[in-house]
Amino acid sequence: MTDVSSLVEGRTGKWEVVIGLEVHAQVSSQAKLFSGASAAFGAGPNEHVSLVDAAMPGMLPVINQFCVEQAVKTGLGLNAEINLFSIFDRKNYFYADLPQGYQISQYKQPIVGEGSITITLADGSTRDIGIERLHLEQDAGKSMHDQHPSKSYIDLNRSGVALMEIVSRPDMRSAEEAAAYVSKLRAILRFLGTCDGNMEQGSLRADCNVSVRRPGEELGTRTETKNLNSIRFIAQAINSEVARQIEIIEDGGTIDQETRLFDTSTGQTRTMRSKEDAHDYRYFPDPDLLPLELDAAWVETLRQSLPELPDALRTRLMDEFGLSAYDAGLISEDRDTAAWYEAAAAGRDAKLVANWMTVELFGALNRMGLDLADSPVRPDQLGQLVERISDGTISGRIAKDVFAIMLEDGADPDQVIEEKGFKQVSDTGAIEAIIDTVLAENTDKVDEYRGGKDKLFGFFVGQVMKASKGQANPGVVNDLLRQKLNG
Amino acid sequence: MSDILAMTAVAARQALDNKSISAVELTEAYIKAGQDTAENNAYVLTTPDKAIDMAKASDARIAKGDAGLLEGIPIGVKDMFCTKGVETTASSRILKGFVPTYESTVTQNLWQDGAVMLGKINCDEFAMGSANETSAFGAVINPWTASDGPLKGKALTPGGSSGGSAAVMAARSALLAPGTDTGGSIRQPAAFCGLVGLKPTYGRCSRLGIVAFASSLDQAGPITRDVADCALMMTSMASYDKGDSTSIDAPMPDLMAALTKAKNEGVKGMRIGIPDEYTIDGMPEQIVTLWEQGRQWLEDAGATCVPVSLPHTKYALPAYYIIAPAEASSNLARYDGVRYGQRVDGATLDEMYAKTRGAGFGDEVKRRILIGTYVLSAGYYDAYYIKAQKIRRLIQNDFHQVFSGVDALLTPSTPSAAFALGEEDKDPVSMFLNDVFTVPANLAGIPAISVPAGLSSDGLPLGLQLIAPALREDTLIEGAAMLEKAAGFNHVASGAAS
Amino acid sequence: MSDKNPDFSLDHNSDHNVIDKTTIQKIAKLARIEIAPEREDTLCGELSTIISWVEQLGECDTAHVEPLASVTGHSLPMRDDVVTSGDDPDAVLSNAPEEASHFFVVPKVVE
Ligand SMILES: [Mg+2]
Ligand SMILES: [Zn+2]
């Protein structure tokens, strides 16, 4: 069962890493989960705050239907069970950025039950990761500790923003798998449109539960590292936590079950609070809210109207366009990329388009620091370029020159080919003339070739191509040269 | 002046409409009555200027023929209702100085209908208490006094938690008073002060803008001088509110029509259940007698009374004292000195919280928060909270079952008449027993009304309670009107303004 | 005393307190309420009385009873996803014991 390759080598033997993730994904709603304040990012302090969010006396929550719908859609996208009856609970604890003194969340009866997603690793292998549940809950506000030497400043703009907490099974065995899981989850959320997946703005954060054990043994004590807001940090935090835990155990120590924070400057985790001062959350059903009951037919309507998801798209790209698993994986990472590709590939050599897109275009955009959305080359332009290769107007070599010019000024490939005179020469008469000149200038080599030195054929091709400034059709050149030299 | 104060709200509405009196005159009379009876400690804040302004506006609307249901009627507002621009404290030190920027839906409904605000009314701190003794403003004194017996000459409790509201009604220093009832906080003070008090079906009145005590039990309702005023005020207070997820979207039956029906037809054909389990050991004989009297009155008016059984009644009170504190412990977590109210500084955030809440809450509130925290904490939740919620279902089922055979239930409102202030047993549980007859209706979410039905041998008011199925406030009004007519209760508190 | 009727007796509480001082301080800490040491004894007695009294619920068989989820029996009403409030920090902060440039201010929180 355990994939041997993912084991970690310690001083005293091999260790198996066990990882489970809790991802908090902000619902892409206009307003908050239980109040009419804006959920938008980036306002002045306490501007996006209603009386409900500030927990004013007598204020009551009313749920946002859109958020419920997004949770159900996400559940469907995770192949999960949708619970037609769910309960909102209060999770009670005191904190400066928790105005009510409790967070409204779902505890025993969440809106979404078990599901799973398939992740693809770099070697092309796939793994299924179990989803334990998805529930809706409120986000907390924000405390700022660096504004004043002895005070913290509280901004409640995020207080009450709708989150989907997606809890995985402890099914991951390496930082790579965890990273792949979060990437895949983010892709699914984005395809569904239920969360924008923007990790820098905190729309997607992960808590990582990590433990280590000897292969085949009982689960070890786990730690939870909170609030990681990039895939790179998730991988770093897990690796540093794994190393820390193995070292402690190999030195004869034990792991404390605790909550840890990841320090981005050191790349290490540190203690936040230990089990001893863990909270007693005193969950109970929120009496201000009634049970959430969903109509099975409504859920079915949502299921029918789900957009194509990454896995389906990937399969379709392979079936319909003949792409390799790898290219299909790259292109299906987000819906905009796939749409870009489909527009470029329509009616053209789809594999060649995929190749040009993933190698040349992505490489160039990467160098220029641009997103695909800001690409100077439009999908139909890349498609046209590939079409000119396919129909023999230009060679693949020349196409790279054309592409470089397209990147600079966004010009159409046909226009570049025309203006720069890049059109490939296939006229046998013109090519014959060049061949004759080349052979005449290299009579010694011609003799050597005819004397049995076959390898010189490449030399003649090179000379002809050079003399034609690369525009001669290589196929025609080959044919004619062979006739002349052998004839 | 005395004539003015003697009018019920319904009578005052007529007098205002036929211009025999102006809203300003009526309001001035009540402002003065409030000053004359200030020793009751019922008002925690008076808003006379606002009252006069509102009364003037009422007079203008009456002149235009635009009068609302409660146009020009002066009202005292229990300090649990948030009132925009007017300090609201829930009678707690922790909310001292809190001025809401918003209005509760219930009071908004009252103002919408033309009511005039006289001020804010004392109550038990966060409505937790049954004697109005837990208020940070001090106890309220019942305008009623014993004419005889051991209580003679002693200051009595008006009951609680809406003690101040009942006191201003009995003292005639307000013409109507909205209360809140979590376990009997409208009905018990109404009974102690010779008034009508109605706790409607859970969800009838919006809870939005009312300081929460126990969300699944809290309901606002009217405290009035008679049943007709109760029907009038209930009609105004109730509304479906999309801002309260537990609000009921069902039309209120025509309570005025129910009144007329009772007047014309009596309660002919009505079936009234007399629950066995409300006979409790040690209940004063005169309560038993009054209850029997009430049964007789209803039968004389055409009802059939039958014994019924609500077998889980004995568990209502202890279940309530798990559920209510549990919800309260969470509802009151927001009073932390960060966004409003009083703060006591501390070196750390946790120290600030603990000091603020330690100093801001009174003993009863602290006790209930601690009990609530305990019953919800790890390892105890199932044994206490879940157990109580199961009992709650059994109690609701009991009511469901009996209501398949009867239209309403008749019970005493309280196990005793008003008692002396400051002399009640220090044992917290004995104070809880005041609510023994009122709590089951809160647990089941069904409506109940207390009607003044007679005086004790010491000359103190006693009430009878009618309990109806959910949404049947009309049945309560019909039955209450009948009891009221039969009882002919026309006594006035010795401490009433004149 | 008949066993079906409300129990007015307090003999449930025996001499020993079911809630001791350690428990009082533990729940007081959870509830963030400072309890003066001299109040502990009284509170232990009071809370123990209440807890002992509510424990009479134990005698009621609830093995096959679902806990009540809501008294109304209705499903949760929902609102549309429309921004209807906010953008008034002055109102939000109008009652704040301490504020600075539209932030609430509290003693420094150490994480
Ligand atoms: Mg979590
Ligand atoms: Zn969460």
Side-chain angles (χ1 to χ4, degrees):
Chain A
M1 181 72 198
T2 309
D3 178 3
V4 183
S5 67
S6 69
L7 296 180
V8 175
E9 193 73 54
R11 273 188 286 111
T12 60
K14 290 185 189 303
W15 294 92
E16 186 185 6
V17 178
V18 177
I19 302 161
L21 295 182
E22 291 166 26
V23 170
H24 285 94
Q26 180 180 335
V27 177
S28 59
S29 59
Q30 299 297 309
K32 294 181 179 180
L33 183 55
F34 292 111
S35 87
S38 168
F41 180 80
N46 289 303
E47 278 179 5
H48 290 174
V49 179
S50 76
L51 299 168
V52 177
D53 309 320
M56 290 292 169
M59 286 298 112
L60 297 172
V62 182
I63 200 165
N64 181 334
Q65 171 155 25
F66 180 82
C67 297
V68 172
E69 190 177 315
Q70 302 322 298
V72 172
K73 272 192 188 171
T74 305
L76 293 169
L78 300 173
N79 307 305
E81 181 192 344
I82 306 301
N83 294 325
L84 299 179
F85 183 94
S86 67
I87 300 270
F88 284 96
D89 297 284
R90 291 184 182 178
K91 179 181 183 179
N92 294 283
Y93 63 98
F94 284 85
Y95 202 70
D97 55 21
L98 190 72
Q100 298 164 114
Y102 53 85
Q103 175 195 35
I104 305 179
S105 181
Q106 297 190 291
Y107 183 50
K108 284 193 178 145
Q109 288 169 278
I111 185 167
V112 175
E114 285 190 54
S116 82
I117 65 180
T118 305
I119 58 169
T120 308
L121 302 172
D123 63 4
S125 66
T126 60
R127 285 206 55 192
D128 286 346
I129 306 296
I131 303 285
E132 187 181 308
R133 59 187 280 156
L134 174 155
H135 65 254
L136 278 167
E137 64 181 25
Q138 301 177 297
D139 203 351
K142 218 173 145 101
S143 308
M144 266 143 289
H145 310 302
D146 50 5
Q147 316 267 318
H148 189 282
S150 62
K151 307 277 187 183
S152 288
Y153 283 30
I154 313 296
D155 173 17
L156 300 178
N157 281 346
R158 290 200 68 86
S159 163
V161 164
L163 302 178
M164 296 178 282
E165 180 172 331
I166 302 160
V167 183
S168 83
R169 294 264 171 220
D171 286 352
M172 287 156 277
R173 293 293 174 270
S174 67
E176 188 206 351
E177 289 185 7
Y181 168 82
V182 175
S183 301
K184 187 56 172 284
L185 181 58
R186 183 172 59 170
I188 293 170
L189 294 167
R190 284 179 165 167
F191 272 55
L192 290 164
T194 58
C195 167
D196 67 22
N198 189 327
M199 296 188 82
E200 303 83 67
Q201 291 182 2
S203 305
L204 197 79
R205 290 116 64 186
D207 302 341
C208 297
N209 290 290
V210 177
S211 63
V212 298
R213 65 176 171 191
R214 295 294 187 189
E217 284 185 7
E218 291 286 289
L219 281 176
T221 304
R222 68 187 163 88
T223 62
E224 180 179 17
T225 304
K226 286 269 187 203
N227 259 330
L228 297 159
N229 66 350
S230 88
I231 291 177
R232 191 163 55 92
F233 292 157
I234 290 169
Q236 276 182 17
I238 290 170
N239 285 331
S240 90
E241 191 52 23
V242 167
R244 188 187 71 90
Q245 290 187 13
I246 291 176
E247 190 179 326
I248 288 173
I249 301 172
E250 291 191 332
D251 287 348
T254 51
I255 303 302
D256 293 330
Q257 185 176 338
E258 60 180 1
T259 303
R260 300 180 67 84
L261 282 177
F262 179 68
D263 187 333
T264 54
S265 59
T266 62
Q268 304 291 313
T269 65
R270 63 180 165 85
T271 300
M272 186 178 164
R273 56 170 188 264
S274 68
K275 197 188 177 188
E276 285 73 58
D277 47 48
H279 295 119
D280 181 345
Y281 290 121
R282 289 158 285 136
Y283 283 100
F284 75 108
D286 190 331
D288 287 331
L289 296 164
L290 302 168
L292 177 60
E293 289 174 55
L294 305 178
D295 179 27
W298 177 73
V299 173
E300 212 37 52
T301 314
L302 287 183
R303 191 195 302 276
Q304 297 308 325
S305 62
L306 282 191
E308 184 179 43
L309 293 177
D311 285 342
L313 174 62
R314 187 160 159 273
T315 309
R316 186 168 64 80
L317 290 176
M318 291 166 71
D319 293 351
E320 204 173 292
F321 295 99
L323 298 192
S324 67
Y326 180 78
D327 279 353
L330 276 181
I331 290 169
S332 61
E333 228 159 58
D334 75 83
R335 202 158 47 175
D336 291 343
T337 305
W340 204 104
Y341 168 75
E342 291 194 66
R348 288 149 181 155
D349 182 340
K351 283 169 88 165
L352 195 54
V353 172
N355 204 34
W356 270 83
M357 185 169 169
T358 57
V359 180
E360 301 300 333
L361 180 64
F362 287 177
L365 292 177
N366 211 4
R367 282 193 301 280
M368 293 189 284
L370 292 178
D371 286 334
L372 183 59
D374 309 317
S375 166
V377 175
R378 295 192 314 268
D380 60 303
Q381 292 176 319
L382 186 72
Q384 207 176 70
L385 180 67
V386 170
E387 208 173 309
R388 293 297 162 261
I389 301 168
S390 302
D391 67 15
T393 308
I394 54 174
S395 65
R397 240 293 288 118
I398 291 292
K400 289 188 184 179
D401 296 338
V402 177
F403 186 66
I405 295 165
M406 288 164 67
L407 280 171
E408 265 168 41
D409 54 14
D412 280 342
D414 283 348
Q415 187 193 341
V416 176
I417 293 166
E418 187 62 45
E419 279 174 10
K420 301 281 177 184
F422 278 151
K423 197 170 271 174
Q424 186 163 264
V425 178
S426 303
D427 169 3
T428 47
I431 293 173
E432 252 188 291
I434 297 169
I435 290 176
D436 289 342
T437 314
V438 168
L439 296 185
E441 281 168 6
N442 295 288
T443 48
D444 49 340
K445 295 253 179 10
V446 173
D447 289 344
E448 282 179 46
Y449 177 84
R450 287 183 175 144
K453 210 167 174 188
D454 292 353
K455 275 188 284 181
L456 280 170
F457 188 76
F459 163 79
F460 295 116
V461 174
Q463 292 299 307
V464 174
M465 291 307 290
K466 194 175 164 191
S468 77
K469 298 194 181 78
Q471 282 162 268
N473 183 323
V476 177
V477 171
N478 269 308
D479 287 351
L480 290 176
L481 250 182
R482 202 156 271 130
Q483 281 172 28
K484 298 235 174 216
L485 285 167
N486 300 346
Chain B
M1 206 61 164
S2 63
D3 286 350
I4 291 187
L5 296 180
M7 282 188 286
T8 64
V10 169
R13 278 297 311 123
Q14 273 165 9
L16 287 163
D17 279 346
N18 66 30
K19 319 272 187 349
S20 59
I21 173 192
S22 74
V24 169
E25 278 175 280
L26 184 66
T27 298
E28 280 172 341
Y30 274 96
I31 291 172
K32 178 162 185 305
Q35 291 160 352
D36 291 348
T37 56
E39 72 276 8
N40 291 338
N41 196 30
Y43 277 95
V44 296
L45 178 77
T46 54
T47 53
D49 295 344
K50 191 181 174 79
I52 295 296
D53 286 347
M54 291 174 88
K56 283 179 181 162
S58 280
D59 280 331
R61 283 191 293 270
I62 292 167
K64 278 199 298 178
D66 237 3
L69 199 61
L70 298 178
E71 199 65 71
I73 303 296
I75 286 180
V77 178
K78 187 179 184 182
D79 212 20
M80 294 294 279
F81 294 89
C82 289
T83 42
K84 187 174 181 174
V86 178
E87 187 178 356
T88 300
T89 69
S91 292
S92 179
R93 276 189 302 278
I94 209 159
L95 269 176
K96 191 171 185 295
F98 172 63
V99 180
T101 57
Y102 50 93
E103 186 77 32
S104 84
T105 301
V106 165
T107 47
Q108 186 59 45
N109 289 344
L110 296 171
W111 313 142
Q112 204 93 51
D113 283 335
V116 168
M117 172 154 125
L118 292 167
K120 299 303 286 288
I121 308 290
N122 204 341
C123 56
D124 276 303
E125 184 179 8
F126 284 102
M128 295 178 194
S130 303
N132 214 123
E133 288 180 309
T134 71
S135 167
F137 296 102
V140 174
I141 296 166
N142 192 332
W144 289 83
T145 48
S147 56
D148 205 357
L151 295 177
K152 193 174 176 186
K154 288 184 174 166
L156 306 182
T157 176
S161 68
S162 307
S165 308
V168 294
M169 292 301 299
R172 299 193 163 174
S173 59
L175 186 41
L176 292 175
T180 60
D181 188 317
T182 305
S185 285
I186 287 174
R187 291 159 287 159
Q188 182 251 19
F192 279 11
C193 294
L195 302 160
V196 175
L198 170 61
K199 182 205 88 75
T201 306
Y202 182 78
R204 270 288 185 221
C205 288
S206 169
R207 293 183 296 111
L208 185 61
I210 301 175
V211 174
F213 161 14
S215 309
S216 75
L217 300 157
D218 295 345
Q219 261 300 289
I223 297 176
T224 61
R225 273 184 221 174
D226 67 7
V227 177
D229 279 8
C230 178
L232 178 76
M233 191 181 189
M234 186 70 253
T235 303
S236 174
M237 288 173 78
S239 64
Y240 172 57
D241 185 357
K242 289 188 167 157
D244 173 359
S245 300
T246 60
S247 181
I248 298 176
D249 188 9
M252 175 66 94
D254 188 339
L255 301 182
M256 299 309 181
L259 264 184
T260 315
K261 189 178 167 217
K263 214 169 277 172
N264 297 338
E265 303 168 28
V267 286
K268 213 173 294 158
M270 199 183 268
R271 287 178 63 82
I272 304 289
I274 312 290
D276 279 352
E277 291 78 4
Y278 282 61
T279 300
I280 57 169
D281 296 310
M283 184 156 75
E285 190 52 40
Q286 46 192 344
I287 303 263
V288 179
T289 310
L290 183 74
W291 189 12
E292 171 56 28
Q293 176 66 257
R295 189 185 68 78
Q296 196 60 54
W297 286 332
L298 288 170
E299 288 196 333
D300 292 348
T304 310
C305 295
V306 292
V308 295
S309 176
L310 298 161
H312 297 93
T313 300
K314 68 175 290 195
Y315 302 118
L317 209 49
Y320 173 87
Y321 275 97
I322 290 171
I323 295 164
E327 293 183 11
S329 71
S330 178
N331 281 335
L332 271 59
R334 64 187 56 198
Y335 305 104
D336 60 6
V338 175
R339 296 164 312 287
Y340 43 78
Q342 293 300 296
R343 172 189 290 193
V344 178
D345 281 325
T348 65
L349 181 67
D350 278 337
E351 197 181 304
M352 188 273 273
Y353 285 153
K355 284 184 182 300
T356 294
R357 291 163 62 79
F361 292 134
D363 286 343
E364 181 65 21
V365 171
K366 282 186 214 170
R367 257 197 304 271
R368 297 208 196 182
I369 291 176
L370 293 175
I371 285 287
T373 304
Y374 179 75
V375 298
L376 288 176
S377 64
Y380 297 102
Y381 177 75
D382 288 341
Y384 294 108
Y385 187 78
I386 291 294
K387 181 82 186 181
Q389 288 289 44
K390 288 180 170 182
I391 302 276
R392 193 173 178 183
R393 182 177 293 283
L394 293 174
I395 286 165
Q396 199 185 35
N397 289 347
D398 281 357
F399 280 113
H400 266 296
Q401 264 155 30
V402 301
F403 284 132
S404 65
V406 298
D407 300 299
L409 302 170
L410 178 73
T411 78
S413 299
T414 55
S416 75
F419 45 88
L421 280 169
E423 289 184 6
E424 190 64 9
D425 196 333
K426 285 292 169 217
D427 181 343
V429 173
S430 63
M431 184 62 91
F432 297 168
L433 297 174
N434 270 292
D435 303 328
V436 67
F437 299 138
T438 47
V439 150
N442 297 81
L443 288 173
I446 55 179
I449 195 168
S450 176
V451 189
L455 293 181
S456 71
S457 54
D458 295 347
L460 294 174
L462 295 170
L464 285 175
Q465 177 178 236
L466 285 167
I467 306 173
L471 307 179
R472 296 314 299 268
E473 283 81 2
D474 52 342
T475 308
L476 292 183
I477 294 292
E478 282 173 45
M482 250 3 276
L483 286 175
E484 177 178 61
K485 191 176 161 200
F489 187 94
N490 55 9
H491 311 279
V492 176
S494 58
S498 57
Chain C
M1 177 168 292
S2 68
D3 74 312
K4 66 179 177 180
N5 290 347
D7 191 349
F8 267 37
S9 79
L10 302 173
D11 4 293
H12 296 283
N13 73 34
S14 48
D15 298 336
H16 95 284
N17 285 326
V18 292
I19 296 191
D20 58 17
K21 287 188 185 182
T22 317
T23 311
I24 288 282
Q25 287 301 350
K26 198 191 116 198
I27 57 178
K29 192 183 169 201
L30 271 178
R32 300 297 191 278
I33 293 178
E34 187 177 69
I35 303 287
E38 64 270 21
R39 286 274 305 143
E40 282 178 359
D41 277 329
T42 318
L43 267 174
C44 284
E46 290 171 345
L47 299 199
S48 295
T49 302
I50 296 170
I51 290 297
S52 304
W53 173 70
V54 302
E55 278 175 354
Q56 64 179 291
L57 294 183
E59 74 194 42
C60 178
D61 180 12
T62 53
H64 304 290
V65 183
E66 271 294 295
L68 190 77
S70 98
V71 83
T72 69
H74 294 171
S75 174
L76 188 63
M78 306 197 211
R79 50 169 244 280
D80 291 338
D81 182 30
V82 181
V83 175
T84 53
S85 55
D87 293 316
D88 194 356
D90 291 324
V92 166
L93 288 139
S94 65
N95 280 288
E98 190 176 352
E99 71 146 317
S101 43
H102 281 174
F103 289 99
F104 294 103
V105 177
V106 299
K108 194 166 197 92
V109 181
V110 194
E111 247 174 14

